[in-house]
Amino acid sequence: MADALQQRIDFIKAIDALKEVQRKTYLLTESRFENSAEHSWAVATMALTFASYAPEDTNINRVIYMLLLHDIVEVDAGDALLYDDAARAAKAIQEKEAATRLFGLLPEEQGREFRAIWDEFEAEESQEAQFAAALDRFIPMLHNLETEGRAWRENHVSYQQVIDKNQKIEKASPELWEYMHTRIKVAVNRGWLAP
Amino acid sequence: MADALQQRIDFIKAIDALKEVQRKTYLLTESRFENSAEHSWAVATMALTFASYAPEDTNINRVIYMLLLHDIVEVDAGDALLYDDAARAAKAIQEKEAATRLFGLLPEEQGREFRAIWDEFEAEESQEAQFAAALDRFIPMLHNLETEGRAWRENHVSYQQVIDKNQKIEKASPELWEYMHTRIKVAVNRGWLAP
């Protein structure tokens, strides 16, 4: 067995590949798609910034841990469009295998702890996981709204799809959902999102 | 005054530009330079993973907050090579102005809190700031060691420069420094780093 320090180094090395996983969301400048590593930074930083919009007694540090780790399985499984149900179902199986491989690189106890953080995020049952998931949904919508719906238009996404996939934000943070819902309706009026 | 939610949105929008600030460090695949946003994710995730190497009673959450925010000033000031003292001195002034601008986008109290986190990181006095700085130094060296010293070779960096700039890791984490110092000596033997 490698020593614990080397195991942790190996984990950090393995997840570096997340910087090369391309998402379906454009940067705000629209110069390119964003990648899953920089997205993970943005959404973790958003959690720190928007902590006051979480339900009372939410452990924001746990939210940040989840958001730092939530996408690392994409190192093996890649990203899939939120609105592509078939691709996402196929990806879910690969993600579980990726979680086993990646968290398995760590010393056993830490691997279990990180896997529990990831599983908690995926289950979306705890208020921390629900708030983390809400931010993970919020931020790509913000990028669409700031780029005249570019990724929505390119993928022929409709208002109803956006509502169906994202309305759960409301439970985690009514205030964030109200803001977003108002802007989504404006986007439909402007033709950025199919009615 | 914009309402507090819109101020926070404006902050998140402004720091998106960090994804387009190119660092002098290569990805482990060497496909390109890394950017400061994905670096921030990597080093914050490293803090979570390497928390047990911090001095006793280190507040690891504070370390993570620092690492999420530490580079955002590069949105205005850009990145500079660690070993280019003149560039780094010029950058330090721009960074303070950038901090005033960016944290000034936030609601006043939160802007002060975030500025205090950034100032604490910059000062490198608290054990949290010293551990955060140690990881921020550790990870680019790891990338050099895993790419046959590519960025070191391209910038004609010497062993003594690496020691001078990075030995402070030892104070924050003797174990991490011992690991790194051993590998740096191997790098010299292999010709990845000028003796």
Side-chain angles (χ1 to χ4, degrees):
Chain A
M1 195 189 79
D3 77 5
L5 199 158
Q6 187 60 49
Q7 289 178 298
R8 293 183 175 102
I9 297 277
D10 291 342
F11 175 75
I12 291 297
K13 282 167 57 182
I15 67 174
D16 198 62
L18 197 60
K19 298 169 183 170
E20 299 188 83
V21 175
Q22 188 176 282
R23 287 166 51 85
K24 318 302 181 206
T25 309
Y26 286 95
L27 299 191
L28 291 186
T29 60
E30 300 183 52
S31 63
R32 59 171 173 81
F33 287 112
E34 72 175 347
N35 68 60
S36 294
E38 61 197 8
H39 156 71
S40 298
W41 164 74
V43 70
T45 305
M46 192 175 174
L48 182 61
T49 310
F50 284 74
S52 60
Y53 301 88
E56 216 181 321
D57 300 325
T58 298
N59 178 347
I60 203 69
N61 296 320
R62 184 86 179 169
V63 173
I64 291 171
Y65 298 172
M66 284 184 206
L67 290 170
L68 290 174
L69 298 177
H70 79 296
D71 268 348
I72 67 167
V73 292
E74 294 183 0
V75 162
D76 292 345
D79 184 50
L81 184 70
L82 178 61
Y83 304 99
D84 184 343
D85 291 331
R88 290 184 82 82
K91 191 188 164 218
I93 297 163
Q94 293 174 313
E95 284 187 344
K96 283 209 192 307
E97 292 168 0
T100 301
R101 180 180 84 80
L102 290 164
F103 296 127
L105 296 171
L106 290 165
E108 201 177 328
E109 188 186 334
Q110 187 166 40
R112 268 199 306 272
E113 283 168 17
F114 279 25
R115 176 66 186 247
I117 292 170
W118 186 80
D119 283 340
E120 183 181 340
F121 174 79
E122 288 290 305
E124 288 188 29
E125 284 166 6
S126 70
Q127 68 185 38
E128 283 74 18
Q130 288 174 358
F131 189 65
L135 299 180
D136 192 39
R137 294 290 168 85
F138 187 96
I139 210 162
M141 286 195 280
L142 182 65
H143 279 239
N144 266 298
L145 291 166
E146 297 293 333
T147 58
E148 302 189 342
R150 181 155 172 195
W152 284 335
R153 285 185 282 113
E154 289 179 358
N155 291 291
H156 310 289
V157 175
S158 73
Y159 172 78
Q160 199 54 51
Q161 284 180 296
V162 171
I163 297 297
D164 289 349
K165 294 287 186 192
N166 298 295
Q167 193 159 21
K168 64 181 178 187
I169 292 174
E170 187 170 17
K171 189 178 170 195
S173 182
E175 200 169 351
L176 287 183
W177 177 248
E178 186 193 345
Y179 173 92
M180 186 49 72
H181 195 201
T182 302
R183 291 195 64 181
I184 293 167
K185 285 183 283 191
V186 173
V188 175
N189 289 336
R190 294 195 179 160
W192 301 345
L193 193 55
Chain B
M1 195 189 79
D3 77 4
L5 198 158
Q6 187 60 51
Q7 289 178 299
R8 294 184 175 101
I9 297 277
D10 290 343
F11 174 75
I12 292 297
K13 282 166 56 182
I15 66 174
D16 198 63
L18 198 59
K19 298 168 183 170
E20 300 188 82
V21 175
Q22 188 176 281
R23 288 166 51 84
K24 318 303 180 206
T25 309
Y26 287 95
L27 299 190
L28 291 186
T29 60
E30 300 182 53
S31 62
R32 59 171 173 81
F33 287 112
E34 73 175 345
N35 69 59
S36 294
E38 59 197 10
H39 156 70
S40 298
W41 163 75
V43 70
T45 305
M46 192 175 174
L48 182 60
T49 309
F50 284 75
S52 59
Y53 301 88
E56 216 181 321
D57 300 324
T58 298
N59 178 346
I60 203 68
N61 296 319
R62 185 87 180 169
V63 173
I64 291 171
Y65 298 172
M66 283 183 206
L67 290 169
L68 290 175
L69 297 177
H70 79 296
D71 268 348
I72 67 167
V73 294
E74 293 182 1
V75 163
D76 293 345
D79 183 51
L81 185 69
L82 177 62
Y83 303 99
D84 184 343
D85 291 331
R88 290 185 81 83
K91 191 188 164 216
I93 297 163
Q94 293 174 311
E95 284 188 344
K96 284 209 191 305
E97 293 168 358
T100 301
R101 181 180 83 80
L102 290 165
F103 297 126
L105 296 171
L106 289 166
E108 202 177 327
E109 189 185 335
Q110 187 167 39
R112 269 199 305 271
E113 284 169 16
F114 279 25
R115 176 65 186 248
I117 292 169
W118 185 79
D119 283 340
E120 183 181 341
F121 175 80
E122 288 290 305
E124 289 187 28
E125 285 166 6
S126 69
Q127 68 185 39
E128 283 75 18
Q130 288 174 357
F131 188 65
L135 298 181
D136 192 38
R137 294 291 168 85
F138 187 95
I139 209 162
M141 285 194 281
L142 182 65
H143 280 238
N144 265 299
L145 292 166
E146 297 293 333
T147 58
E148 304 189 341
R150 181 154 172 196
W152 283 335
R153 285 184 283 114
E154 288 179 0
N155 292 291
H156 309 288
V157 175
S158 72
Y159 171 78
Q160 198 55 51
Q161 283 179 295
V162 171
I163 297 298
D164 289 348
K165 294 288 185 191
N166 298 295
Q167 193 160 21
K168 64 182 177 184
I169 291 173
E170 187 170 17
K171 189 177 169 196
S173 182
E175 201 169 350
L176 287 183
W177 177 247
E178 187 193 345
Y179 172 93
M180 185 50 71
H181 195 200
T182 302
R183 291 196 63 181
I184 293 166
K185 285 183 282 190
V186 173
V188 175
N189 289 338
R190 295 195 179 161
W192 302 344
L193 193 56

